[in-house]
mmCIF file with all atom_site columns, all heavy atoms in Angstrom:
data_model
loop_
_atom_site.group_PDB
_atom_site.id
_atom_site.type_symbol
_atom_site.label_atom_id
_atom_site.label_alt_id
_atom_site.label_comp_id
_atom_site.label_asym_id
_atom_site.label_entity_id
_atom_site.label_seq_id
_atom_site.pdbx_PDB_ins_code
_atom_site.Cartn_x
_atom_site.Cartn_y
_atom_site.Cartn_z
_atom_site.occupancy
_atom_site.B_iso_or_equiv
_atom_site.pdbx_formal_charge
_atom_site.auth_seq_id
_atom_site.auth_comp_id
_atom_site.auth_asym_id
_atom_site.auth_atom_id
_atom_site.pdbx_PDB_model_num
ATOM 1  N N   . THR A 1 25 ? 52.242 -80.961 -29.334 1.00 0.00 ? 25 THR A N   1
ATOM 2  C CA  . THR A 1 25 ? 51.159 -80.319 -28.758 1.00 0.00 ? 25 THR A CA  1
ATOM 3  C C   . THR A 1 25 ? 50.200 -79.799 -29.793 1.00 0.00 ? 25 THR A C   1
ATOM 4  O O   . THR A 1 25 ? 50.619 -79.162 -30.764 1.00 0.00 ? 25 THR A O   1
ATOM 5  C CB  . THR A 1 25 ? 51.649 -79.036 -27.925 1.00 0.00 ? 25 THR A CB  1
ATOM 6  O OG1 . THR A 1 25 ? 52.609 -79.386 -27.041 1.00 0.00 ? 25 THR A OG1 1
ATOM 7  C CG2 . THR A 1 25 ? 50.546 -78.284 -27.309 1.00 0.00 ? 25 THR A CG2 1
ATOM 8  N N   . PRO A 1 26 ? 48.851 -80.273 -29.765 1.00 0.00 ? 26 PRO A N   1
ATOM 9  C CA  . PRO A 1 26 ? 48.036 -80.085 -30.749 1.00 0.00 ? 26 PRO A CA  1
ATOM 10 C C   . PRO A 1 26 ? 47.535 -78.533 -30.781 1.00 0.00 ? 26 PRO A C   1
ATOM 11 O O   . PRO A 1 26 ? 47.698 -77.771 -29.839 1.00 0.00 ? 26 PRO A O   1
ATOM 12 C CB  . PRO A 1 26 ? 46.769 -81.014 -30.346 1.00 0.00 ? 26 PRO A CB  1
ATOM 13 C CG  . PRO A 1 26 ? 46.899 -81.117 -28.944 1.00 0.00 ? 26 PRO A CG  1
ATOM 14 C CD  . PRO A 1 26 ? 48.390 -81.126 -28.590 1.00 0.00 ? 26 PRO A CD  1
ATOM 15 N N   . GLN A 1 27 ? 46.817 -78.305 -31.877 1.00 0.00 ? 27 GLN A N   1
ATOM 16 C CA  . GLN A 1 27 ? 46.174 -76.976 -31.977 1.00 0.00 ? 27 GLN A CA  1
ATOM 17 C C   . GLN A 1 27 ? 44.854 -77.158 -31.312 1.00 0.00 ? 27 GLN A C   1
ATOM 18 O O   . GLN A 1 27 ? 44.055 -78.163 -31.393 1.00 0.00 ? 27 GLN A O   1
ATOM 19 C CB  . GLN A 1 27 ? 45.855 -76.773 -33.475 1.00 0.00 ? 27 GLN A CB  1
ATOM 20 C CG  . GLN A 1 27 ? 45.215 -75.509 -33.705 1.00 0.00 ? 27 GLN A CG  1
ATOM 21 C CD  . GLN A 1 27 ? 44.891 -75.134 -35.176 1.00 0.00 ? 27 GLN A CD  1
ATOM 22 O OE1 . GLN A 1 27 ? 44.867 -76.106 -35.949 1.00 0.00 ? 27 GLN A OE1 1
ATOM 23 N NE2 . GLN A 1 27 ? 44.674 -73.877 -35.550 1.00 0.00 ? 27 GLN A NE2 1
ATOM 24 N N   . PHE A 1 28 ? 44.439 -76.132 -30.632 1.00 0.00 ? 28 PHE A N   1
ATOM 25 C CA  . PHE A 1 28 ? 43.221 -76.172 -29.805 1.00 0.00 ? 28 PHE A CA  1
ATOM 26 C C   . PHE A 1 28 ? 42.205 -75.105 -30.282 1.00 0.00 ? 28 PHE A C   1
ATOM 27 O O   . PHE A 1 28 ? 42.611 -73.893 -30.538 1.00 0.00 ? 28 PHE A O   1
ATOM 28 C CB  . PHE A 1 28 ? 43.452 -75.825 -28.262 1.00 0.00 ? 28 PHE A CB  1
ATOM 29 C CG  . PHE A 1 28 ? 44.246 -76.973 -27.635 1.00 0.00 ? 28 PHE A CG  1
ATOM 30 C CD1 . PHE A 1 28 ? 45.621 -76.624 -27.405 1.00 0.00 ? 28 PHE A CD1 1
ATOM 31 C CD2 . PHE A 1 28 ? 43.879 -78.188 -27.305 1.00 0.00 ? 28 PHE A CD2 1
ATOM 32 C CE1 . PHE A 1 28 ? 46.434 -77.634 -26.773 1.00 0.00 ? 28 PHE A CE1 1
ATOM 33 C CE2 . PHE A 1 28 ? 44.672 -79.106 -26.787 1.00 0.00 ? 28 PHE A CE2 1
ATOM 34 C CZ  . PHE A 1 28 ? 45.923 -78.839 -26.435 1.00 0.00 ? 28 PHE A CZ  1
ATOM 35 N N   . ALA A 1 29 ? 41.038 -75.480 -30.448 1.00 0.00 ? 29 ALA A N   1
ATOM 36 C CA  . ALA A 1 29 ? 39.924 -74.599 -30.923 1.00 0.00 ? 29 ALA A CA  1
ATOM 37 C C   . ALA A 1 29 ? 38.936 -74.491 -29.793 1.00 0.00 ? 29 ALA A C   1
ATOM 38 O O   . ALA A 1 29 ? 38.407 -75.513 -29.327 1.00 0.00 ? 29 ALA A O   1
ATOM 39 C CB  . ALA A 1 29 ? 39.323 -75.100 -32.194 1.00 0.00 ? 29 ALA A CB  1
ATOM 40 N N   . LEU A 1 30 ? 38.735 -73.377 -29.305 1.00 0.00 ? 30 LEU A N   1
ATOM 41 C CA  . LEU A 1 30 ? 37.935 -73.196 -28.104 1.00 0.00 ? 30 LEU A CA  1
ATOM 42 C C   . LEU A 1 30 ? 36.729 -72.332 -28.259 1.00 0.00 ? 30 LEU A C   1
ATOM 43 O O   . LEU A 1 30 ? 36.854 -71.312 -28.885 1.00 0.00 ? 30 LEU A O   1
ATOM 44 C CB  . LEU A 1 30 ? 38.742 -72.677 -27.011 1.00 0.00 ? 30 LEU A CB  1
ATOM 45 C CG  . LEU A 1 30 ? 40.071 -73.166 -26.629 1.00 0.00 ? 30 LEU A CG  1
ATOM 46 C CD1 . LEU A 1 30 ? 40.881 -72.460 -25.613 1.00 0.00 ? 30 LEU A CD1 1
ATOM 47 C CD2 . LEU A 1 30 ? 39.791 -74.695 -26.210 1.00 0.00 ? 30 LEU A CD2 1
ATOM 48 N N   . ALA A 1 31 ? 35.701 -72.856 -27.710 1.00 0.00 ? 31 ALA A N   1
ATOM 49 C CA  . ALA A 1 31 ? 34.400 -71.957 -27.740 1.00 0.00 ? 31 ALA A CA  1
ATOM 50 C C   . ALA A 1 31 ? 34.387 -71.470 -26.308 1.00 0.00 ? 31 ALA A C   1
ATOM 51 O O   . ALA A 1 31 ? 34.474 -72.084 -25.346 1.00 0.00 ? 31 ALA A O   1
ATOM 52 C CB  . ALA A 1 31 ? 33.114 -72.742 -27.919 1.00 0.00 ? 31 ALA A CB  1
ATOM 53 N N   . THR A 1 32 ? 34.302 -70.102 -26.257 1.00 0.00 ? 32 THR A N   1
ATOM 54 C CA  . THR A 1 32 ? 34.459 -69.436 -24.920 1.00 0.00 ? 32 THR A CA  1
ATOM 55 C C   . THR A 1 32 ? 33.328 -68.496 -24.813 1.00 0.00 ? 32 THR A C   1
ATOM 56 O O   . THR A 1 32 ? 33.032 -67.659 -25.594 1.00 0.00 ? 32 THR A O   1
ATOM 57 C CB  . THR A 1 32 ? 35.851 -68.753 -24.722 1.00 0.00 ? 32 THR A CB  1
ATOM 58 O OG1 . THR A 1 32 ? 35.964 -67.870 -25.942 1.00 0.00 ? 32 THR A OG1 1
ATOM 59 C CG2 . THR A 1 32 ? 37.008 -69.704 -24.800 1.00 0.00 ? 32 THR A CG2 1
ATOM 60 N N   . ALA A 1 33 ? 32.904 -68.374 -23.577 1.00 0.00 ? 33 ALA A N   1
ATOM 61 C CA  . ALA A 1 33 ? 31.963 -67.276 -23.205 1.00 0.00 ? 33 ALA A CA  1
ATOM 62 C C   . ALA A 1 33 ? 32.704 -66.077 -22.531 1.00 0.00 ? 33 ALA A C   1
ATOM 63 O O   . ALA A 1 33 ? 33.925 -66.183 -22.518 1.00 0.00 ? 33 ALA A O   1
ATOM 64 C CB  . ALA A 1 33 ? 30.984 -67.871 -22.161 1.00 0.00 ? 33 ALA A CB  1
ATOM 65 N N   . GLU A 1 34 ? 32.044 -65.145 -22.097 1.00 0.00 ? 34 GLU A N   1
ATOM 66 C CA  . GLU A 1 34 ? 32.669 -64.062 -21.465 1.00 0.00 ? 34 GLU A CA  1
ATOM 67 C C   . GLU A 1 34 ? 33.448 -64.549 -20.214 1.00 0.00 ? 34 GLU A C   1
ATOM 68 O O   . GLU A 1 34 ? 32.989 -65.515 -19.523 1.00 0.00 ? 34 GLU A O   1
ATOM 69 C CB  . GLU A 1 34 ? 31.669 -63.080 -20.941 1.00 0.00 ? 34 GLU A CB  1
ATOM 70 C CG  . GLU A 1 34 ? 31.034 -62.359 -22.054 1.00 0.00 ? 34 GLU A CG  1
ATOM 71 C CD  . GLU A 1 34 ? 31.799 -61.326 -22.755 1.00 0.00 ? 34 GLU A CD  1
ATOM 72 O OE1 . GLU A 1 34 ? 32.937 -61.070 -22.156 1.00 0.00 ? 34 GLU A OE1 1
ATOM 73 O OE2 . GLU A 1 34 ? 31.542 -60.818 -23.785 1.00 0.00 ? 34 GLU A OE2 1
ATOM 74 N N   . PRO A 1 35 ? 34.630 -64.126 -20.041 1.00 0.00 ? 35 PRO A N   1
ATOM 75 C CA  . PRO A 1 35 ? 35.410 -64.618 -18.989 1.00 0.00 ? 35 PRO A CA  1
ATOM 76 C C   . PRO A 1 35 ? 34.662 -64.310 -17.574 1.00 0.00 ? 35 PRO A C   1
ATOM 77 O O   . PRO A 1 35 ? 34.073 -63.280 -17.424 1.00 0.00 ? 35 PRO A O   1
ATOM 78 C CB  . PRO A 1 35 ? 36.786 -63.874 -18.892 1.00 0.00 ? 35 PRO A CB  1
ATOM 79 C CG  . PRO A 1 35 ? 36.477 -62.643 -19.775 1.00 0.00 ? 35 PRO A CG  1
ATOM 80 C CD  . PRO A 1 35 ? 35.367 -63.075 -20.756 1.00 0.00 ? 35 PRO A CD  1
ATOM 81 N N   . GLY A 1 36 ? 34.543 -65.356 -16.766 1.00 0.00 ? 36 GLY A N   1
ATOM 82 C CA  . GLY A 1 36 ? 33.884 -65.082 -15.451 1.00 0.00 ? 36 GLY A CA  1
ATOM 83 C C   . GLY A 1 36 ? 32.372 -65.574 -15.632 1.00 0.00 ? 36 GLY A C   1
ATOM 84 O O   . GLY A 1 36 ? 31.714 -65.727 -14.540 1.00 0.00 ? 36 GLY A O   1
ATOM 85 N N   . LYS A 1 37 ? 31.975 -65.911 -16.848 1.00 0.00 ? 37 LYS A N   1
ATOM 86 C CA  . LYS A 1 37 ? 30.501 -66.250 -16.939 1.00 0.00 ? 37 LYS A CA  1
ATOM 87 C C   . LYS A 1 37 ? 30.470 -67.820 -17.067 1.00 0.00 ? 37 LYS A C   1
ATOM 88 O O   . LYS A 1 37 ? 31.324 -68.348 -17.677 1.00 0.00 ? 37 LYS A O   1
ATOM 89 C CB  . LYS A 1 37 ? 29.820 -65.530 -18.121 1.00 0.00 ? 37 LYS A CB  1
ATOM 90 C CG  . LYS A 1 37 ? 29.661 -64.045 -17.838 1.00 0.00 ? 37 LYS A CG  1
ATOM 91 C CD  . LYS A 1 37 ? 28.862 -63.407 -19.015 1.00 0.00 ? 37 LYS A CD  1
ATOM 92 C CE  . LYS A 1 37 ? 28.594 -61.948 -18.692 1.00 0.00 ? 37 LYS A CE  1
ATOM 93 N NZ  . LYS A 1 37 ? 27.886 -61.320 -19.758 1.00 0.00 ? 37 LYS A NZ  1
#
Side-chain angles (χ1 to χ4, degrees):
Chain A
T25 304
Q27 182 183 21
F28 297 104
L30 307 176
T32 53
E34 292 287 347
K37 292 187 177 178

